[in-house]
Amino acid sequence: IVCDDGWDDTGAGVVCRQLGFGSTGTAIGSAGFGQGTGPLFLDSVLCTGNESTLASCGHLGVGITQNCTHAADVGVRCTGPIDVNIRLVGGSSYNEGRVEVNYNGEWGTVCDDGWGLTDTDVVCRQLGLGYSRYRASFGRESGPIWLDSVSCFGNESTLARCSHLGVGVTRSCSHIEDVGVSCFGGQDNTAIRLVNGSSIAEGRVEILYNGEWGTICSDGWNFNNTQVICRALGFSGVDTFYATSYQYGQGTGPIWLRNVMCDGNEPTLARCSHPGINITRNCTHAHDVGVRCNGAENINIRLVGGSSYNEGRVEVNYHGEWS
C-alpha cells in the first residue's frame, strides 16, 4: 500500500500506464477507496510522469514511512481501455495455442512466470471456450512480451483485470517462456443468424451463446469481420455492413461481443479475437452490427434414415459434402 504524502495526478498516471490503461489518472487520497490492512510500502512518492513503473519513481525507500496510517492510503482513477483483445495462436484447433495479447495495435505474448490454472481459466472463459488445461508448447513468438507474473483469482472477466507487473514490464523473460493453453467446452461453429432483413442475405447479426441470442457491438467493426460472417453463413461475398441499428433495428437481448478483430480468412467468427464474451464497455443496441451479403449458395438438402420419403434426419450438402 502507498501513503498519499505528496501523491498527485502524475504518480496516478504512472500507475495507470503500468496497468495498461492510458497515461491519464486522477489521484485519490485519504483512503478514498477504503483502508487497507497490510503494510505501507511506499511514502512520499515523486514521479516525473515518464517512468514505466511506480517503482522507478522517487520515494523514501520500501517500507519507510513518515507516520503514515491507512487513513492516508492512495487510490487512483484511470481512463482508457483495459479490456484488451486476446487470441490463441499455433495450436492444432481453435481452442488451444499460444496466448497473445493486443496492446496499442501490436500482438505480443505472456510470460509463464507464476502462471497457473486460475490464469488459464480466465483466458478460456474470456474467449468463451469453457474449461481449461495449462500447456506451454505452441512455439515461440518474436514480438513483444506484454505481460509477466500474471496472477488471477480465477473469477476475473478478462485477463487484463488480473494483477501483473505492468504492460511491457518483464523480469528477464524470453519467448521460450511464452504461455500456451488448451481449453475445453467451447464451440468453434458459433451459431449466427441475420435478423430483420428483407432477404436471407441481410440483417442484424446475432450470435447464440449459452442458449441465448445476442447482438454484436459495432466498435471496431470492419469489412474483414463482415467477410467472416457472410462466409460462415454460406454466402460468397460482402455487399456492405452497417455500424448502427438504423438499417435493421435494435436487438433486445444481450450484447455478446465488441471490438471483434478478424483477418478475414477465419472460417468462423469464433476464430476472431475480441475482448471477451459479454465485455461490452457501455455499448448499446443503437450500435448493433448489421450486414448485407452477396451470392447466396444453392445448397441441397435431403432426409435420411426415415421409414418413408417424407421423414428423416435433415442433411445439407455444402461444397460437395453431406452433413
Side-chain angles (χ1 to χ4, degrees), residues 17 28 56 137 141 144 178 214 221 230 236 255 304:
R17 184 170 60 249
I28 309 293
S56 300
S137 57
E141 182 52 74
D178 287 345
W221 193 264
C230 292
S236 60
I255 301 172
V304 178

Side-chain angles (χ1 to χ4, degrees), residues 7-18 22-26 49 51 76:
W7 187 252
D8 59 14
D9 289 349
T10 303
V14 172
V15 168
C16 293
R17 184 170 60 249
Q18 181 176 349
S23 296
T24 303
T26 301
E51 298 86 352
V76 302

Side-chain angles (χ1 to χ4, degrees), residues 2-29 33 42 44-58 73-80 103 166:
V2 180
C3 182
D4 66 5
D5 289 347
W7 187 252
D8 59 14
D9 289 349
T10 303
V14 172
V15 168
C16 293
R17 184 170 60 249
Q18 181 176 349
L19 291 173
F21 296 99
S23 296
T24 303
T26 301
I28 309 293
F33 294 104
L42 296 178
S44 299
V45 176
L46 180 62
C47 303
T48 65
N50 298 317
E51 298 86 352
S52 59
T53 70
L54 186 65
S56 300
C57 298
D73 286 348
V74 155
V76 302
R77 181 174 291 116
C78 303
T79 60
Y103 180 68

Side-chain angles (χ1 to χ4, degrees), residues 16-23 81 84-85 101-108 144 146 167-168:
C16 293
R17 184 170 60 249
Q18 181 176 349
L19 291 173
F21 296 99
S23 296
V84 295
N85 283 21
V101 174
N102 190 290
Y103 180 68
N104 279 346
E106 185 175 8
W107 289 101
W146 284 135
V167 178

